[in-house]
Amino acid sequence: FSFRKLWAFTGPGFLMSIAYLDPGNIESDLQSGAVAGFKLLWVLMLSTIIGLLLQRLAARLGVVTGLHLAEVCNRQYQKVPRIILWLMVELAIIGSDMQEVIGSAIAINLLSVGKIPLWGGVLITIADTFVFLFLDKYGLRKLEAFFGLLITIMALTFGYEYITVKPDQEKLLQGLFIPYCQNCGTAQLEQAVGIVGAVIMPHNMYLHSALVKSRQVNRANKREVQEANKYFFIESCIALFVSFIINIFVVTVFAEAFFAKTNADVNAVCVNASSPHSSLFPNNNQTLEVDIYKGGAVLGCYFGPAALYIWAIGILAAGQSSTMTGTYSGQFVMEGFLNLRWSRFARVLLTRSIAITPTLLVAIFQDVEHLTGMNDFLNVLMSLQLPFALIPVLTFTSLPSVMHDFANGLFWKIAGGALILLICSINMNFVVTYVMSLNHMALYIGAGILSVIYLSFVAYLTWLCLIALGASFLACG
């Protein structure tokens, strides 16, 4: 083992780990703490471990083949499935990007004390494109250092909230290591499902398989490939451990301070503190519901303006970093699936525009206080796209014709298949719950028709995956 070699391979894992710290994840964390207290910390830990194992497969694919996941899909799938797969992944990137841009815009709104409206924050966030291009021009290591700085800002800001609130350490350890949720109902179960959906992001598989290509590895030398796989895995472990600690900070802050609080409790404290946000919390006995915006407001009421502004800086760092990794993902996916050879500026401008346009429309017509519904819809959208990243990753890492000596063994085939089945089942549950809550017959019928088309395509990918896993009797035609 060499620390010098580990340092040389450090970077891609931290860029990948940004997806575990995006505004969608932060919102899921704070809602988990407010709804279930410390009881769902073990779900967060298990989701992160599962995410790590799946990211390992994506990284191995890039290291061994010298191609990222989108490029391998382009070579291995037929034309029509390939185009459908590309459209699905683009949808996931757009959904994720919308959450991230909205998160940045909310942070800017909080920092400006409401003077900059949501749409103004979205326009400011478009500048990310130029920051990204500027940094990328100076080399990947500079870009990785910048992302490292943003992760450090998140650790410091959310760490400050953690120290200020002083969560109960005994409850924290119980929540982490006792996989049980006492007196939990439907709301807590939905939150647990939401955590899994927020942590494991479809476009992140495509991103990680591409980022590892930035390191020079002699693929003709089996020992060098093994070494690269080892160091990338260690780096991913460290990066996801850091992201896990930051997520714990957020969950425990809201679990300690706001679990089982009512709107009336918070309203009284906000009025006492002469907070401009007291109108967000009606004076009734309903359980407190928080999102990124209300979370910042409620921290300001209880712990002073400093807590609100430091929270907003953390959210801004999360939004800025994840919007840039989203742009990177869009670039790799478009380049790989469509084999496009555009200039970097044109590619970034197009992928950014695809996500920014619907986000800007939402920001103009929606109030900053009423974005939770849109967030739920985007979580459902990304949950639906998960099979289109996880099934191809398992398929190609199990094929000897693609991975040669590094193809998955029996353990990884069974474990990978079981994990993907578990994650997709949990997310389907989440989607069904969301659709049932719509309470509209036309929407039910539309969802039913789309479900048949969707499940048919998932079945096709699963059929090819099973053949790759060794079920050769299915390989008819």
Side-chain angles (χ1 to χ4, degrees):
F1 179 82
S2 160
F3 280 105
R4 183 176 288 180
K5 281 186 180 175
L6 178 61
W7 177 248
F9 284 101
T10 295
F14 280 91
L15 264 70
M16 168 274 294
S17 73
I18 296 281
Y20 291 72
L21 293 167
D22 70 350
N25 265 300
I26 302 298
E27 184 155 329
S28 173
D29 291 339
L30 64 91
Q31 287 172 347
S32 163
V35 169
F38 296 88
K39 296 173 191 170
L40 296 179
L41 282 171
W42 63 274
V43 177
L44 177 64
M45 182 167 72
L46 275 180
S47 300
T48 308
I49 292 168
I50 290 170
L52 171 66
L53 298 177
L54 294 170
Q55 295 295 160
R56 174 187 179 271
L57 292 180
R60 280 172 70 86
L61 181 71
V63 171
V64 173
T65 63
L67 302 168
H68 57 73
L69 181 55
E71 289 172 325
V72 179
C73 288
N74 188 15
R75 294 184 180 206
Q76 296 288 331
Y77 286 131
Q78 300 289 329
K79 187 177 181 180
V80 174
R82 189 168 71 227
I83 291 170
I84 296 171
L85 200 57
W86 169 65
L87 290 172
M88 294 297 103
V89 178
E90 285 291 356
L91 265 179
I93 293 170
I94 290 166
S96 172
D97 224 13
M98 283 179 74
Q99 279 186 321
E100 290 149 7
V101 172
I102 290 286
S104 297
I106 287 172
I108 291 166
N109 183 275
L110 284 170
L111 286 169
S112 67
V113 202
K115 288 185 173 64
I116 298 175
L118 201 60
W119 59 267
V122 170
L123 290 174
I124 291 169
T125 312
I126 293 174
D128 280 356
T129 307
F130 303 104
V131 172
F132 167 79
L133 286 169
F134 173 76
L135 287 168
D136 196 50
K137 187 180 164 187
Y138 288 95
L140 191 62
R141 288 301 263 184
K142 301 279 193 308
L143 192 67
E144 288 168 353
F146 179 66
F147 280 115
L149 173 66
L150 291 172
I151 291 172
T152 306
I153 291 169
M154 281 185 263
L156 292 173
T157 51
F158 297 133
Y160 169 85
E161 309 287 358
Y162 180 83
I163 292 164
T164 304
V165 176
K166 300 184 181 69
D168 186 317
Q169 299 302 299
E170 189 182 334
K171 285 182 182 175
L172 189 159
L173 291 172
Q174 283 176 352
L176 269 180
F177 298 110
I178 299 175
Y180 181 64
C181 192
Q182 193 173 12
N183 302 323
C184 286
T186 308
Q188 287 77 16
L189 179 64
E190 285 177 11
Q191 201 54 55
V193 171
I195 290 171
V196 178
V199 166
I200 299 161
M201 309 283 275
H203 65 278
N204 216 27
M205 300 291 153
Y206 290 87
L207 177 67
H208 199 192
S209 65
L211 290 172
V212 295
K213 287 171 60 181
S214 62
R215 301 305 190 263
Q216 291 297 320
V217 177
N218 178 11
R219 290 178 179 83
N221 186 329
K222 189 176 173 182
R223 189 174 162 278
E224 268 194 48
V225 175
Q226 281 176 329
E227 195 174 64
N229 281 330
K230 177 179 80 173
Y231 284 113
F232 277 130
F233 182 62
I234 293 168
E235 186 231 2
S236 297
C237 289
I238 295 166
L240 287 188
F241 178 73
V242 171
S243 74
F244 175 61
I245 295 297
I246 294 171
N247 282 319
I248 280 183
F249 286 162
V250 179
V251 175
T252 51
V253 162
F254 282 83
E256 181 67 39
F258 308 116
F259 174 55
K261 288 277 195 299
T262 64
N263 283 327
D265 296 334
V266 177
N267 180 275
V269 174
C270 287
V271 169
N272 242 357
S274 304
S275 167
H277 300 108
S278 53
S279 59
L280 287 173
F281 310 102
N283 198 2
N284 59 36
N285 287 322
Q286 286 185 0
T287 306
L288 175 68
E289 289 184 9
V290 281
D291 50 32
I292 290 175
Y293 183 72
K294 289 180 181 174
V298 85
L299 283 169
C301 292
Y302 275 77
F303 304 104
L308 186 152
Y309 293 124
I310 288 169
W311 168 261
I313 290 166
I315 295 296
L316 187 62
Q320 296 294 291
S321 55
S322 49
T323 47
M324 283 193 270
T325 53
T327 304
Y328 237 152
S329 302
Q331 174 192 320
F332 290 132
V333 164
M334 187 170 282
E335 191 180 81
F337 275 109
L338 304 183
N339 205 19
L340 288 179
R341 289 286 176 264
W342 288 7
S343 73
R344 183 151 294 194
F345 182 83
R347 274 201 310 268
V348 171
L349 207 61
L350 178 65
T351 50
R352 179 91 296 194
S353 303
I354 291 169
I356 287 288
T357 307
T359 311
L360 195 55
L361 291 171
V362 167
I364 291 167
F365 295 110
Q366 273 276 38
D367 194 284
V368 70
E369 298 161 24
H370 301 100
L371 286 167
T372 306
M374 189 206 72
N375 213 39
D376 290 343
F377 171 74
L378 291 175
N379 282 334
V380 167
L381 180 71
M382 284 183 287
S383 297
L384 282 168
Q385 311 312 320
L386 261 176
F388 306 126
L390 303 185
I391 295 173
V393 161
L394 183 62
T395 302
F396 301 134
T397 52
S398 301
L399 276 175
S401 60
V402 174
M403 297 290 284
H404 308 295
D405 294 342
F406 294 94
N408 292 332
L410 184 62
F411 170 78
W412 273 101
K413 286 178 181 178
I414 294 170
L419 286 177
I420 289 169
L421 183 64
L422 174 69
I423 292 161
C424 291
S425 302
I426 288 170
N427 282 286
M428 286 307 106
N429 180 312
F430 180 46
V431 171
V432 169
T433 305
Y434 177 79
V435 172
M436 295 301 285
S437 70
L438 296 174
N439 292 324
H440 199 289
M441 184 53 70
L443 292 172
Y444 290 160
I445 294 167
I449 294 166
L450 288 173
S451 297
V452 171
I453 299 166
Y454 171 84
L455 291 172
S456 301
F457 187 55
V458 171
Y460 170 78
L461 294 179
T462 306
W463 170 57
L464 295 178
C465 184
L466 289 170
I467 293 169
L469 292 174
S472 52
F473 63 91
L474 294 172
C476 52

